[in-house]
Amino acid sequence: MGGTAVAEDDAQQHGPRRAGLRPRNVVLLAVGIVIVIAVALLNVIHVPVAILRPGPVQNIFGEINGKPVLQISGAKTYPTSGTLDFTTVSMAGGPQYPVSVMEWIGAKFDHDAEIDPASMWFQSGVSGKQVQQQNTSEMTDAQQTAKVVALRASGLKVPEVIKVAMVADNAASGKLLKVGDVIVSINKTAIDRLDTVAQVMGKVKPGAKVAMVVSRNGEDVRLSVPTADNSGRAVFGIGITPSYTFPAKVNLNVGDVGGPSAGTMLSLAIYDKLTPGSLTGGKKFAGTGTISEDGVVGPIGGLRQKLAGARSAGAQYFLAPASDCSQAKGHVPAGLTVIKISSFGQAVSVVKKVAAGQTTGLPGC
């Protein structure tokens, strides 16, 4: 009994024994903590790059969120078949979606990802909101131009006037021209198209005065307007914008897609709906490219990613701006035929050829 009492007193005096961490476990715990901190830092520290990946691909004859992408009223329309897809790029980087070190490392192992300096895609000092506003504005302009090109190509008339949208503070024209003026003529040449202004002004010597007639508040005003030299071109120091009277209502629902690169494919889809027969002949086309009022197909970015996205979506043929063909070298997915185009008219022509089974001799990248 005495021995038992001593044992109890000893336990009460020194307390229960504690098992300490072994040195190996201490090292493992420290390493784990370092790894957690490192991963957290890799997700917080940003890299000044932009990462491009394939984005969503949309059939213009399909729907977005249950609503048709393309609807036309006020003009006769025709059934279509096949697909005319516009392609997009998913981009991380810039003020809206800065790239973390972890994302940057992951992109290096992604075959479809392209890593560029952020300065290639974003201007310094521009906010995320400003980037979004610019993208939205560019898409709005692209839709309007696509409508004009397609409607005119289908044989419908789209009257147009050119308005003064902005007058620079130091404009050579001074206060002669005002915002809202409709330009009726320049040097006796009637102005009824946006490209006519460039054609006429291309013949004017910088510094010379130009005879202009503008419509202001419903009255014609005759002016002699001085010009200035801008890199060898005669300019007034104003901004102009076209205003159209559309013969039919064309509604486009493109979701939250921004930028101008869907212009060419939108114009083709509108044209297809307005003309007899299926333009594609049931084939699956995708593509990209800006479109100007005179039908010129312009350059875009991210062609490599758009090719990958198009093929994943099932496209057989891809319409690419001729000016961007170099981007396609070595990046054309198996089963996808890339056709280079430089104008709306050429795009219509090659699509018709493919639809008719003429798949040889097409201009490729």
Side-chain angles (χ1 to χ4, degrees), residues 120-134:
M120 281 184 60
W121 298 96
F122 304 97
Q123 294 181 2
S124 61
V126 177
S127 68
K129 184 177 181 180
Q130 289 173 317
V131 172
Q132 187 174 14
Q133 289 173 339
Q134 180 180 347

Side-chain angles (χ1 to χ4, degrees), residues 52-224:
L52 282 65
R53 289 187 172 91
V57 175
Q58 178 61 50
N59 177 21
I60 304 170
F61 300 135
E63 296 182 343
I64 293 180
N65 298 326
K67 296 181 179 180
V69 177
L70 172 61
Q71 289 181 296
I72 301 175
S73 59
K76 187 175 182 178
T77 58
Y78 300 86
T80 61
S81 63
T83 62
L84 285 170
D85 300 339
F86 68 78
T87 52
T88 66
V89 171
S90 176
M91 181 181 292
Q96 282 184 297
Y97 308 105
V99 175
S100 69
V101 174
M102 184 66 77
E103 290 176 299
W104 175 65
I105 293 173
K108 285 184 170 293
F109 297 94
D110 185 345
H111 174 73
D112 291 329
E114 177 183 334
I115 304 174
D116 295 327
S119 58
M120 281 184 60
W121 298 96
F122 304 97
Q123 294 181 2
S124 61
V126 177
S127 68
K129 184 177 181 180
Q130 289 173 317
V131 172
Q132 187 174 14
Q133 289 173 339
Q134 180 180 347
N135 287 338
T136 300
S137 175
E138 288 176 342
M139 171 54 85
T140 300
D141 291 344
Q143 290 183 35
Q144 177 172 262
T145 306
K147 295 174 188 178
V148 173
V149 170
L151 287 164
R152 286 176 175 168
S154 70
L156 296 173
K157 293 183 178 180
V158 184
E160 174 182 356
V161 296
I162 307 302
K163 294 183 178 181
V164 176
M166 178 275 294
V167 179
D169 292 337
N170 59 345
S173 58
K175 297 181 180 180
L176 291 173
L177 296 173
K178 301 182 182 299
V179 172
D181 284 350
V182 175
I183 301 176
V184 178
S185 68
I186 299 176
N187 280 346
K188 298 183 179 180
T189 298
I191 302 299
D192 56 1
R193 295 281 185 97
L194 189 61
D195 56 354
T196 306
V197 177
Q199 293 171 8
V200 175
M201 292 302 294
K203 301 175 183 178
V204 176
K205 184 178 179 180
K209 288 189 175 183
V210 173
M212 290 186 69
V213 177
V214 300
S215 177
R216 182 180 298 163
N217 299 323
E219 295 184 0
D220 284 354
V221 179
R222 298 181 182 277
L223 304 169
S224 179

